Every structure is written in structure tokens, then in C-alpha cells.
């Protein structure tokens, strides 16, 4: 059975950081996002390549550049992010087990494999509902929920941390250009 990958969770956390970065008018680099989440920069870069291709984030070039949301957080759903990272894959893949009953021998009756079985029907309904739920939640909704759970100081600390990163990126860029 397919499932939502950890990549989706990391992407959503990084995107929530971009919501906060937007409030201070500063994009965040893949390195910033990776360091903040304590994950590999290469992993974040791979996630953001997919998010950029899906039109969820936009890259801003230059030393003070980085990533920003391509659209308002109210217009980006959890379903879009999930499909951008994991692709659109089925929750359940029917293996046609119902036709493998020992009492059938080599003569599988048509009724045994005709149409969608009751198990597959339940899985189709579960997938439909999961997509509806994920499609009904936006980054703005998630950001509001996260903000209501964490102390207000946490968001301010993240914004301060991000604000302090731009001078470091400029210094790294200047040092690289000097070499």
C-alpha cells in the first residue's frame, strides 16, 4: 500500500517556514531551510525542485535570494504539496486476490473477478476522502494551526534566525567571489 512519504512532511515544514519568511520579506535558501530542520541541503534542494516545478515555490537569484511561495499560502493546498513531492499515486493497489481461491481450481467464475470488489471499493472511498481532506487544508490553515500551538516567541525566534541568515549568505558569496 502506498503512503505519504516523509518528504511531504519535510516539505510542509519548510513551506511553513516560507510563510514566516514572507512576513519579514525575506526568501530562505535551501541551506537555511535544511539547517533549520536539521536535514541535508541536498534533500531540501530535491524537494524544492519538485515544488518549483509544481508552481508552489519560486526561486529568487542572487546572494540574498532563496525560495519564496509562488502564490499566497491561502492558495496552496496540502494535496498539491503531497502530489508535487510524491506524485499522484493510489492508496491501494488491488492484487485480485479474490480470484485465487483454492476452491475455484483453474475455473475462476466471472462473478469472482467482475467489477470492483468490496475491499477495493472501501479503499477507493478512503482515498477519495483523504484527498478531500488534504485538498481542504491550505498552507495558511496549517500556519494558523501551528501558530496557535506554539508560543508566540517561537515564531519570532524563527524570523530572527532567518533575518540573521542573509548577512551570512552575503559573506559566503563575497568570500566565494574573492577566491
Amino acid at each position: 500500500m502506498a503512503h505519504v512519504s516523509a518528504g511531504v512532511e519535510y516539505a510542509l515544514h519548510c513551506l511553513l517556514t516560507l510563510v514566516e519568511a514572507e512576513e519579514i520579506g525575506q526568501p530562505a535558501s535551501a541551506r537555511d531551510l535544511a539547517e533549520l530542520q536539521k536535514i541535508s541541503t541536498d534533500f531540501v534542494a530535491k524537494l524544492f525542485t519538485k515544488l518549483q516545478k509544481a508552481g508552489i515555490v519560486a526561486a529568487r537569484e542572487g546572494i540574498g535570494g532563496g525560495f519564496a511561495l509562488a502564490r499566497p499560502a491561502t492558495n496552496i493546498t496540502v494535496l498539491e504539496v503531497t502530489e508535487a513531492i510524491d506524485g499522484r499515486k493510489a492508496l491501494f493497489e488491488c492484487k485480485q486476490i479474490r480470484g485465487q481461491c483454492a476452491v475455484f481450481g483453474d475455473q475462476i467464475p466471472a462473478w469472482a473477478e467482475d467489477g470492483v470488489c468490496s475491499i477495493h471499493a472501501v479503499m477507493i472511498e478512503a482515498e477519495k476522502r483523504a484527498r478531500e481532506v488534504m485538498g481542504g487544508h491550505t498552507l495558511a490553515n496549517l500556519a494558523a494551526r501551528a501558530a496557535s500551538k506554539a508560543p508566540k516567541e517561537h515564531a519570532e525566534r524563527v524570523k530572527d534566525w532567518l533575518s540573521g541568515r542573509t548577512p551570512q549568505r552575503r559573506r559566503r558569496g563575497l568570500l566565494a567571489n574573492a577566491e
Side-chain angles (χ1 to χ4, degrees), residues 74-151:
T74 54
N75 295 344
I76 301 170
T77 68
V78 173
L79 180 60
E80 287 179 275
V81 174
T82 301
E83 289 180 350
I85 300 301
D86 284 351
R88 186 178 172 107
K89 55 187 179 183
L91 175 68
F92 176 78
E93 185 180 324
C94 183
K95 302 293 184 193
Q96 297 293 334
I97 294 169
R98 59 194 166 142
Q100 298 175 20
C101 182
V103 298
F104 296 156
D106 290 336
Q107 300 294 325
I108 302 168
W111 63 263
E113 292 185 320
D114 190 35
V116 176
C117 77
S118 59
I119 295 168
H120 196 178
V122 168
M123 298 303 177
I124 290 170
E125 182 182 354
E127 181 175 341
K128 180 181 176 202
R129 288 185 185 179
R131 289 185 183 286
E132 287 171 357
V133 169
M134 290 189 292
H137 290 278
T138 66
L139 289 181
N141 300 135
L142 287 180
R145 290 175 81 164
S148 71
K149 181 177 180 178

Side-chain angles (χ1 to χ4, degrees), residues 30-49:
R31 177 179 287 169
D32 294 342
L33 295 166
E35 287 181 22
L36 187 62
Q37 301 297 328
K38 295 185 177 182
I39 55 177
S40 135
T41 303
D42 289 342
F43 182 57
V44 171
K46 287 177 186 175
L47 294 175
F48 272 69
T49 296

Side-chain angles (χ1 to χ4, degrees), residues 1-69:
M1 176 165 28
H3 64 281
V4 176
S5 72
V8 171
E9 183 177 8
Y10 282 115
L12 288 167
H13 277 283
C14 288
L15 291 170
L16 290 178
T17 300
L18 291 186
V19 171
E20 291 181 349
E22 202 169 71
E23 292 175 14
I24 58 173
Q26 179 179 328
S29 71
R31 177 179 287 169
D32 294 342
L33 295 166
E35 287 181 22
L36 187 62
Q37 301 297 328
K38 295 185 177 182
I39 55 177
S40 135
T41 303
D42 289 342
F43 182 57
V44 171
K46 287 177 186 175
L47 294 175
F48 272 69
T49 296
K50 292 177 179 183
L51 293 170
Q52 188 173 10
K53 186 177 178 184
I56 294 170
V57 298
R60 295 190 183 159
E61 300 296 325
I63 293 171
F67 289 99
L69 298 178

